[in-house]
Amino acid sequence: MIPVCRLEDLPKGESVRIETTPPVAVFHTDDGDLYAIDDTCTHQDASLSEGWLEGCLVECPLHAASFDLRTGRPTCLPARRAVRTHSVTVVDGLIHVHLAAEEGTAA
Amino acid sequence: MRTVTIVGASLSGLYAARELRAQGYDGRLVIVGDEPHHPYDRPPLSKDFLTGRADETRLALTDTEETTELDAEWILGVRARALDARGRTVLLDDGRTVSTDGVVIATGASARRLPGDTLAGVHTLRTLDDARALREELTRGPCRVVVIGGGFIGAETASSCSSLGHRVTVVEAAPLPLVPQLGAEMAAVCAALHRRGGVDLVTGTGVSGLRGTSAVTGVDLTDGRTLPADIVIVGIGATPNTAWLAGSSLALHDGVLCDDGCATALPQVVAVGDVACVGGTRAEHWTSATQQPRAAVANLLAGRTVETATAVPYFWSDQYGARIQFTGRRADGDTVRITEGELSDGAPAEGGFLARYERDGRTTAVLAVDRPRPFMRARRELARGAGEEQVRSAAR
């Protein structure tokens, strides 16, 4: 479980990148939901935390591939592979990310 | 239409195949490619592939699942030699012919070469095979690399070679590289990136010849100097692959002449990607190669132009750890204003910058260095503005 930042420090419509290996992007959607996915676009090296957030979709800033934050799946080309999704919780106002791989090893 | 043949198995050819199936074409689909490889992505060749950060599996544009879905006949490693005057037969180099009802021309462009560049150690960088050969040579230990041409391919290759520990010099004939793309002011800023990578930039002098008997040993410059070199990379642009169309009835002039919808004078022949001169301009951009096929295929299936393929140009380049993104149509005389970030000593400062090109108070183009987010916002604004402009001019 990795602490990210305080909820109030990540306004709606914003995202933050955490320097895990590989890096993870955490999004706060306009609807107030929090999502975490692997930060690197599966098409080519670009940071999705710098992408365009619209609803539950984020568009890669380099080639406009779009990913669904809920599933990690690309919704259009050029990306063809999904990004990993991670679960997010807020404890005492602090956002935490649970890395998918970590959970896998623990199970 | 019972048979459609796509000539060219690269980015735009593959996107055309996808569009054909997505738009409901269920007939026979033939894809002809002169390279032996299935479609792959070229942009990483000069960057991550050359430096060893990405291997060939990362370049693949398609996979078995999609290939099965496309249900195409792939004829790879064979060049198309001719298209008959009616555009109904594609003749291949191995003597085979393909009778077809529709043709998508996607034969791309080839790297321009220098006279006498058959010497060992002289490379161009356009295809996977080019990149493989260069990468192999670059792994043999530190050497002196001369890159001829300071355009995007030249700069990216120089950056990659430098990061691999080679001593690199870039030679550019113009007083400054990238002026046609970026304008003098911003071209100077991007040229300063070479310094960041420890690469020498020699400008304002051409190349008079290459030295060496079997392998290259140096590059002779028109100002009388000779640059010693173990490896020479020629990055002086590309020419559209239209030679095979010489016997056809298509109009050729710096590419296959098409209307705004990628349609040629023959209603069942369209052209896309680097080889296509669409509505008077030929773009060698990844984005146009992926965007044009949608309209081209719609028009091919309709038998007339029902959709146009004019989008706001967009291109990017990664060099010396900087990401350059550009969109729009700038013209000489546009003023340039840095609206975010700043310069430091004539080069992009830490954190990059966003620059707007303006004419009569309107933004014509946007350039960003390491500012992807504001760039995206500006790109959307510009595309929206262009859309409105199109609606206005249609109404007039």
Side-chain angles (χ1 to χ4, degrees), chain B residues 180-391:
Chain B
Q181 293 89 344
L182 305 180
E185 214 172 319
M186 288 299 125
V189 173
C190 290
L193 291 171
H194 290 283
R195 218 170 38 223
R196 185 196 274 191
V199 167
D200 284 332
L201 177 63
V202 176
T203 58
T205 178
V207 168
S208 58
L210 300 176
R211 288 217 170 174
T213 43
S214 61
V216 73
T217 58
V219 177
D220 287 332
L221 303 182
T222 47
D223 67 5
R225 278 184 292 170
T226 297
L227 302 172
D230 309 301
I231 294 179
V232 170
I233 297 149
V234 181
I236 52 172
T239 45
N241 294 325
T242 55
W244 69 286
L245 294 166
S248 74
S249 52
L250 299 177
L252 308 172
H253 177 71
D254 185 40
V256 177
L257 291 190
C258 306
D259 68 6
D260 287 346
C262 300
T264 69
L266 295 172
Q268 82 286 9
V269 179
V270 294
V272 289
D274 290 5
V275 74
C277 184
V278 180
T281 45
R282 193 172 67 81
E284 289 179 2
H285 301 322
W286 186 95
T287 324
S288 2
T290 60
Q291 288 175 342
Q292 287 167 353
R294 179 188 296 258
V297 162
N299 299 335
L300 176 72
L301 295 177
R304 66 196 170 88
T305 299
V306 292
E307 218 178 282
T308 60
T310 45
V312 180
Y314 164 62
F315 58 81
W316 80 96
S317 175
D318 291 334
Q319 41 185 284
Y320 307 111
R323 173 157 287 163
I324 299 168
Q325 292 175 288
F326 181 93
T327 185
R329 293 184 179 86
R330 54 144 230 108
D332 290 339
D334 289 0
T335 53
V336 190
R337 196 161 56 91
I338 291 180
T339 55
E340 280 190 42
E342 56 190 4
L343 303 182
S344 130
D345 200 13
E350 187 78 31
F353 67 86
L354 185 89
R356 284 174 184 270
Y357 296 75
E358 293 164 331
R359 195 184 321 142
D360 305 328
R362 296 220 330 243
T363 301
T364 58
V366 182
L367 168 74
V369 176
D370 293 331
R371 288 264 166 161
R373 218 172 190 176
F375 176 81
M376 262 188 125
R377 203 173 304 130
R379 187 182 169 194
R380 279 167 177 260
E381 274 167 31
L382 206 59
R384 206 163 40 233
E388 283 162 11
E389 181 61 31
Q390 230 167 30
V391 170

Side-chain angles (χ1 to χ4, degrees), chain A residues 2 17-25 38 84 86 97 99 102:
Chain A
I2 298 168
R17 171 179 146 122
I18 52 175
E19 301 297 331
T20 43
T21 320
V24 165
D38 276 356
R84 287 187 315 161
H86 310 279
V97 167
L99 291 183
E102 257 182 14

Side-chain angles (χ1 to χ4, degrees), chain B residues 46-83:
Chain B
S46 54
K47 307 182 272 273
D48 284 357
F49 181 77
L50 211 55
T51 54
R53 282 185 63 210
D55 60 13
E56 288 184 22
T57 54
R58 291 285 301 173
L59 303 178
L61 282 171
T62 182
D63 54 27
T64 332
E65 192 189 330
E66 190 193 22
T67 314
T68 310
E69 275 170 25
L70 282 180
D71 189 23
E73 294 169 37
W74 297 81
I75 304 178
L76 298 177
V78 182
R79 196 175 289 268
R81 186 194 289 173
L83 179 70

Side-chain angles (χ1 to χ4, degrees), chain A residues 100-107:
Chain A
E102 257 182 14
E103 283 172 5
T105 6

Side-chain angles (χ1 to χ4, degrees), chain A residues 24-85:
Chain A
V24 165
V26 183
F27 297 87
H28 194 179
T29 68
D30 286 329
D31 290 338
D33 297 320
L34 292 164
Y35 295 99
I37 58 173
D38 276 356
D39 184 51
T40 309
C41 178
T42 58
H43 165 245
Q44 250 171 50
D45 195 4
S47 169
L48 294 175
S49 68
E50 291 171 331
W52 186 269
L53 184 62
E54 208 162 294
C56 274
L57 300 180
V58 63
E59 184 186 312
C60 172
L62 195 53
H63 302 138
S66 174
F67 294 89
D68 190 320
L69 297 177
R70 295 164 295 190
T71 60
R73 291 204 193 98
T75 59
C76 72
L77 290 168
R80 296 179 50 76
R81 284 175 298 126
V83 286
R84 287 187 315 161
T85 56

